[in-house]
Structures are given as structure tokens and as C-alpha cells.
Amino acid sequence: MRARSTALVCALALTASSTILVAPASAAPPPPVNACGEAGFDPKDYPPEPLSLDSPPVLPPIPDRFVIPVPYPSVELVPLPDPAPDRTRVEAEPLPDPCMDPCPDLTDDPQDIAVGSGSAELPFPRIEIDPQPETIPIPIPGPPGEPIAPAPPAAVNPAEPGPISGAPPQPAVRDVSVVSQVTGPGSDNRTDKRWQVDGTDLGIMWESKPGEVAVAFGDSFGKGWEFGVVGGPDWRSNTLGHSTDSDLSDGMTIDSMVQDSRCHAAELISSRKVKNWETTVIPTSGFAVGDRQYMSYMSIRRWSTVPGMWWTNYGGIAYSDDNGSTWTKDPHARWDNMFGLSKFQVSTMVPQGDHVYMFGTVNGRVGTVGLARVPKDDVLNKTAYQYWVNGTWAPVDFNEATPIADGTASELSVRYDAQRSIWQMTYLDPIAGNIVLRESVTAQGQWTPPTTLVRTAEYPKAYGGFMHPWSKDGELYFTVSEWDSYNVYLMKAAVS
């Protein structure tokens, strides 16, 4: 997701595996290059070698500095209601040459982000004290916001027993590999030059309409971004691209991104960017029903100093009626977070049959997976949701939903594979530290035991694992993010 502040590193960076790595016998290979000859990032910063008694184990390079954050109180006034989002949109000019820089006046900078490991030159890190404001938000009256539509009428669907299928055979995974770098400097899509997206993460995909896939990204940074630092002058909490690329064997081409100005990807779902109030707003899944697009998201109050944790205000749903160009946060389709313990804060929603299924966890990376469903016509009507509770679809409080699978999970991705009539779920297992795959005949389970897709012993800085909806014929394509480069990669695996 998103060295930044220490809190953000803890919340987003997948902690490197404790596996002791052996120093490579030869020098590291040069970074990969795209079709335009531009250097990208290698997602394997420290490729491990087989453990050998003849080679001394080594740790990753010592950083050149160690920053100790020291908080101090800082009052910030927060006008309410939220201001109306900027819905300015512009179309991109045709790009006759894919290697051409369409906006050199906007993107060329002698201080552009350098590609490299950033390894230390000093034998010991330099200790620095970094004063950090600890925001105390105080709400005050502000200008009028957008009018709030009335809540939909209450709709209670009666309790209905649901069958639990036997688990299918556990999926076997082999031939896992990186296909291409999707975003950032040196990527095939050159998102830094075309849309001023130098750093970003996630890459959540869904079929927005026949022949097109939407790709949603999390916190995105452009010109002026200092590598490894949160925010900057061009911080957008989320961005969206579209792809019609059906041959993923050589990478995923992003045809366009939603723009608010020339060569600049727009922030789709607005956020206040006030710590301890609403730090950012991050997409968690997307889907289409007819001509309307939906995106689930989480409103993050703050990142925690505890690794793998963050605190949300709520999990919500936004919708778009112009193929993802502009979005509206529905004020009623929200699952509030009480005391940091509420369910469905990080949700993944999948339409199948007459319903849309919502899989969700608590905030952070230590939750179990709960399940709900709602008729397709009532996605924005929270009262129409039924929650899976001990074998029954029940119209109860969302916190009563019971886990559908054992173990803890975070950052879910779920799809229904119509070719095989099987449900697939990928997520980061915070205990094992791996991205895993599970399958089931029905949404409510039983689910197979987890099979490892990506080992953090091989990719120490990886997180995510969001499946491409057009995966088929035993080839599973999915995106992962890598912390050091803070960008997105397309990977594939053979699954049987």
C-alpha cells in the first residue's frame, strides 16, 4: 500500500520475512527495462540463494540513517460537511508513439526518482530525530456540502438457511513468476510520464463492461514525491485506469486513466487527508451491475504504530454512472467502526447470480473473513443485507457474521471462476507472511486449506494479491505491490 512516516511504514509495509538470506555469489543483475529502454524496479530486492553451510548468512544492507519520530500536539480545524469533490475531467490526447513523453513540461525534472536500491554507504546508520505533528482535529462549521439523498426504505429479507458444500480439492500452484511492472518509472505503461503516477499500489481489477477491465490503485504520488516519504505536493488517495488487454502473457496494458487535467490522474473518491480524522480513502474492491459501477472503500482514520494495523472510520460503497469517471460516496451504505472492532471494514464485493456477495474483515491485518449478501438491486440499501451466521443468511447486525474460513486474512480478493464453477479467494496471511489462494464451491464454504501463491522469503517486500477477472485455463493472473519501489506488478501462476 503506501521510508514515509514510521506509522505508515508499520501499517502498510509487509514486514520482511525473518528468513536468513545468503549473499548472492555474483553481483546483482541490472534492473529490468521496458520496451522504451527505461529502467524499472526489480521486485526481488534480495533474491535468496539456497542455504549453504559454506556461505555466511547475511542480513539486508544497513540503512544510512535511522529516524526516530517524536510526536508533538498540533490542532487542525476540520470544516464540516465535507467539501464537494472536484469533478473536473479531461480526455487524454492520442499518443502516436508509446515511448513519447506526452507532457515533458509537467513530468521532466532533474530530481526525478532514481531507480536503485538505496543501500547504505556508511557502516552504521545515522540517528536523526524527526518531530511529527500528532493532529488533534476539531470540527467546525464549513460551507454547504453536497445535498444528502434520503435513505432508502427499510427492506428486511427474512432469514434463509444456506447449504454448505464440501470443499473441492486443494488447489495446486506452480510456475509462479513476475510478468511485468504495471506502474511507475520504467513500467511498460510509463504511468509516471503519462499520468504523473510515480508511486502507487494495489491494482484492484474488475470487469467494468464487456471487453474492459477497471484497475483501481491506492495512495498515488506524482511529481515532487520524495521516494519513501508519504504525501508530497501531488498526493491522490486513489486513482483509476482502464485496460482492454486480453493477452496478459506479456503484461497488462493500461489504455487510459481518469484525468482531472492534462497528463494527471484524478483522485476519484475524495479524502480529507487529516490524521486522526480521515487520513486517506482507499479502494478495496469494485464491480459492475448493469451500467453502474460500484467501489467498496475504507475511510482510514489513522495508521497505527503496530505493524500491519490501521484504524478506519468505516467501510463504505461509492458508485459511478459514467463508467468510473466520477464517483459518489453513498452516505447510507456505510459500516461504521466501533472501537476498532467492527467487521466489514475492508471488504471485497462480487456479483454472482441474483446477489452481490460481500466478504470482509476488521480494520488492519488480523481479522477473520465474514460474509454477507444483498440482492443486486439493493446494493446501496444497508437494511437489505443478510449476513452469514452459523449456516443461515440472517437479517442481523453485521457484527454477528461468523467466519467462513479458519485463520486470519487481510486485503482480500475474491472472484467467481465461471469456467470452473468455483470461487477463488486470495489474501495476505499475516501469520505465515505469504499471499495464499483458497477455493470453494459456494461463497459460504467450505473453503480449501490455503495454498501459497507468493512467498515473502522470495519477495520480502510484497503484499496484495488481487486477481484479474479474465484469468482462465488454469492461468491465474494477479497484481502484487512491492514496498521498496512502491509500485504494482503483474504476476501469474499455474493453478490446478
Side-chain angles (χ1 to χ4, degrees), residues 336-351:
D336 293 324
N337 192 15
M338 300 296 292
F339 309 110
L341 301 174
S342 296
K343 299 180 179 179
F344 298 97
Q345 298 303 297
V346 189
S347 295
T348 294
M349 304 184 72
V350 184

Side-chain angles (χ1 to χ4, degrees), residues 55-304:
S55 301
V58 296
L59 296 175
I62 299 173
D64 61 352
R65 63 176 181 164
F66 185 77
V67 178
I68 302 176
V70 176
Y72 64 89
S74 174
V75 173
E76 183 163 348
L77 303 180
V78 183
L80 293 179
D82 291 349
D86 183 356
R87 300 185 183 275
T88 304
R89 298 292 183 263
V90 300
E91 295 292 330
E93 295 292 330
L95 193 63
D97 180 358
C99 292
M100 175 181 137
D101 186 347
C103 300
D105 56 318
L106 299 176
T107 61
D108 282 2
D109 191 320
Q111 312 236 334
D112 276 347
I113 300 168
V115 176
S117 66
S119 58
E121 297 179 1
L122 300 175
F124 299 101
R126 181 176 65 252
I127 306 299
E128 295 182 1
I129 301 299
D130 182 20
Q132 294 279 341
E134 185 64 23
T135 305
I136 302 173
I138 298 178
I140 61 171
E146 292 189 299
I148 298 177
V156 177
N157 294 314
E160 180 182 344
I164 298 180
S165 61
Q170 183 176 359
V173 171
R174 65 186 188 280
D175 301 331
V176 180
S177 62
V178 177
V179 180
S180 69
Q181 182 180 327
V182 177
T183 64
S187 67
D188 291 342
N189 294 300
R190 306 175 77 240
T191 61
D192 56 324
K193 298 298 184 183
R194 297 171 67 190
W195 301 294
Q196 298 184 65
V197 176
D198 294 67
T200 191
D201 70 346
L202 303 184
I204 296 167
M205 298 166 286
W206 69 93
E207 187 172 78
S208 48
K209 61 184 180 182
E212 180 185 84
V213 168
V215 190
F217 300 101
D219 285 325
S220 302
F221 306 101
K223 185 178 178 181
W225 174 47
E226 183 182 346
F227 181 69
V229 177
V230 66
D234 191 19
W235 175 13
R236 288 144 289 170
S237 287
N238 43 77
T239 53
L240 183 73
H242 289 96
S243 173
T244 56
D245 191 348
S246 59
D247 181 7
L248 303 175
S249 62
D250 58 353
M252 179 174 63
T253 299
I254 297 177
D255 304 316
S256 63
M257 293 190 77
V258 179
Q259 296 186 164
D260 55 8
S261 62
R262 185 171 65 98
C263 295
H264 190 264
E267 179 176 270
L268 306 177
I269 307 178
S270 60
S271 71
R272 300 304 297 268
K273 298 182 177 63
V274 177
K275 184 179 178 182
N276 296 325
W277 184 266
E278 184 178 69
T279 298
T280 190
V281 170
I282 296 175
T284 58
S285 75
F287 63 98
V289 175
D291 293 331
R292 172 168 281 189
Q293 306 287 309
Y294 295 92
M295 189 188 299
S296 62
Y297 66 91
M298 52 181 171
S299 169
I300 294 182
R301 179 180 290 267
R302 62 168 295 151
W303 303 110
S304 173

Side-chain angles (χ1 to χ4, degrees), residues 160-165 343-344 357-358 369-373 385-398 400-405 442-446:
E160 180 182 344
I164 298 180
S165 61
K343 299 180 179 179
F344 298 97
Y357 292 84
M358 180 171 69
V369 182
L371 178 63
R373 72 176 189 181
Y385 282 71
Q386 299 169 305
Y387 299 89
W388 181 253
V389 182
N390 296 323
T392 299
W393 296 105
V396 296
D397 183 272
F398 62 95
E400 296 181 45
T402 53
I404 60 169
T442 59
Q444 61 267 27
Q446 301 177 356

